Amino acid sequence: MRYEGTIYRPPSEARSLIIQVTIGCSHNKCTFCSMYKDKTFRVRDFEDVLDDLKMAKEAYGRVDRIFYADGDALCLSNEKLLKLLSETKRIFPEVKRITSYGSPLDVLRKTDEELKALQKAGLDMVYIGAESGDEEILKAINKGATRDEIIEGVRRLEKALIKTSVTFISGLGGKKNFKEHGINSGTMISQMEPSYVGLLTLMVERNTPLYEDVKEGTFKLLSPLEVMEETLLLLENINVSKKCVFRSNHASNYFSLRGDLPQDKDRMMNEIKEVIKSEGMLKDERFRML
Ligand code: SF4
């Protein structure tokens, strides 16, 4: 495969064929993110993407899962996305799941009919980085989308039967806003009802604006115990009426949680309370990674 730069994909796409449809992220301004800083955003030529699909067919034969990279492949026009999905299915008729990253604004630019057309053409799931449900934190991290826009984007995808997997980042409000971050992220999940929620824990990388804030002391990182207290607040405030798979088992997390909401909410909250009582169960800082 001909990959340009470092390739990022969600943990659950570890076994997927990754096809680069765009290079970089069209937003590329979140203060905590270093992923695509070395890339200038562009949409790849369709013929190049098609060649990659054909090369993958020759190399691997059958493929069950395909993930369209980089940052937000959903920013393509529906016409291009439908052509891409059609060619993907023609080359890999056996494919069971096609997914991509997407931003809430990508979704809001599309009509309900366009989203439904993408679902019918085979787009199964979109990964969305909400990061926080708190409006002030979203502004501070320069997310480029408001709480309401993120909620609407997720709800419209789910309505079109395209599953969503929404990521939040523990600790993103720092010491100053950790309660707001926990509570408002929980209520946001309740309002948007995604199929999946993934919770990572903030790790500040050197080449980011947030690193400078930490260095200057204007942003104070949470202790591992405060992260757990924040997660407890988040869970406490999730009230969903349909199944939502909750995962907090990323390499950056101090403690792994996994369950289906709403039925496993009490069990997961009790696990966190136990962890808060016995600090020893938390992952050592040395073993955390992004
Ligand atoms: S967090 Fe997502 S939207 Fe923000 S800059 Fe990074 S890749 Fe782009």
Side-chain angles (χ1 to χ4, degrees), residues 25-30 32-37 71 103 129 131 142-143:
C25 160
S26 63
H27 178 56
N28 216 9
K29 291 184 190 129
C30 297
F32 62 89
C33 175
S34 66
M35 292 204 296
Y36 302 111
K37 293 287 181 264
S103 84
E131 333 302 0
N142 208 4
K143 185 67 209 168

